[in-house]
Amino acid sequence: MIALTPSPPYYAVIFTSIRIITEDGYDLMANHMVELAQQQPGYLGYESAREDVGITVSYWESLDAIRNWKQETEHLIAQKYGREKWYKAYTTRICIVERDYSFEL
Amino acid sequence: MIALTPSPPYYAVIFTSIRIITEDGYDLMANHMVELAQQQPGYLGYESAREDVGITVSYWESLDAIRNWKQETEHLIAQKYGREKWYKAYTTRICIVERDYSFEL
């Protein structure tokens, strides 16, 4: 689904990753992280797709909301496992969304 | 590939889309647009993946570079075909990347 976000400005975290070819609990953790993110204060929405790279974009009301989510206890554990078991490489980008526009048939 | 971008600030265009199930020249045009974007002044990089949604993020030096690319003649034709033939829905978000960090094994 395309995230339904409010009028800008709001914030985006673009997480681009390359996976190691292993399962080892990844899907379970990834699903749990989506559920947990949705419960965070200031969470606005989420989009994700994976082919050669995975791109997950989460949307947030404020930089504080992003900071709090980054420090959330279970999320910290997921990040640690990510570096130890699941990811070959990733880049995280913190952005201000300044403008957006949509098309729908 | 994860785009190799310079130190922030730089700009990102997040293009999230839902395709209509048809080929009709889409892949050819999509590949051509990637090649053309790479030749634009101010182009920094590109990441893309599609599952239920497609997410394409392109990175740029400036808002001017994004504006020029949006108005590029062949790109305008691609956008028109996109609305007429290929996309059920899309959202484009123009962002300033304020901070980034990377991990690599």
Side-chain angles (χ1 to χ4, degrees), chain A residues 3 5 10 16 47 50-51 59 88-96 98-103 105, chain B residues 1 3 5 10 16 47 50-51 59 88-96 98-103 105:
Chain A
T5 38
Y10 53 92
T16 310
E47 296 161 349
R50 178 173 300 278
E51 287 182 291
Y59 299 101
K88 197 175 292 181
Y90 63 72
T91 295
T92 303
R93 294 179 172 96
I94 317 292
C95 315
I96 305 179
E98 295 240 304
R99 209 152 51 79
D100 62 17
Y101 51 90
S102 292
F103 162 79
L105 274 187
Chain B
M1 290 290 296
T5 39
Y10 54 89
T16 310
E47 294 161 351
R50 177 174 300 279
E51 286 181 292
Y59 299 101
K88 199 177 289 181
Y90 64 72
T91 295
T92 303
R93 293 177 172 98
I94 317 292
C95 316
I96 304 179
E98 294 241 305
R99 208 153 52 80
D100 61 17
Y101 51 90
S102 292
F103 163 79
L105 274 188

Side-chain angles (χ1 to χ4, degrees), chain A residues 16-77:
Chain A
T16 310
S17 63
I18 296 175
R19 287 267 314 270
I20 291 164
I21 306 303
T22 169
E23 173 40 37
D24 201 11
Y26 174 82
D27 284 349
L28 204 67
M29 182 64 98
N31 292 337
H32 183 53
M33 284 304 113
V34 172
E35 283 171 21
L36 204 58
Q38 288 169 346
Q39 297 163 26
Q40 298 303 302
Y43 170 88
L44 295 176
Y46 159 91
E47 296 161 349
S48 193
R50 178 173 300 278
E51 287 182 291
D52 301 331
V53 296
I55 305 174
T56 296
V57 190
S58 59
Y59 299 101
W60 302 88
E61 270 173 22
S62 67
L63 288 174
D64 270 353
I66 293 172
R67 227 172 274 131
N68 292 338
W69 170 232
K70 194 185 175 197
Q71 297 302 327
E72 200 281 335
T73 311
E74 289 185 82
H75 189 205
L76 284 174
I77 296 169

Side-chain angles (χ1 to χ4, degrees), chain B residues 63-82:
Chain B
L63 289 175
D64 269 352
I66 293 171
R67 227 171 275 131
N68 291 339
W69 169 233
K70 195 185 174 197
Q71 296 302 327
E72 199 281 334
T73 310
E74 289 186 81
H75 190 205
L76 284 174
I77 297 169
Q79 291 168 52
K80 184 170 178 291
Y81 284 175

Side-chain angles (χ1 to χ4, degrees), chain B residues 46-62:
Chain B
Y46 159 90
E47 294 161 351
S48 191
R50 177 174 300 279
E51 286 181 292
D52 299 332
V53 296
I55 305 175
T56 295
V57 190
S58 58
Y59 299 101
W60 301 87
E61 271 174 21
S62 67

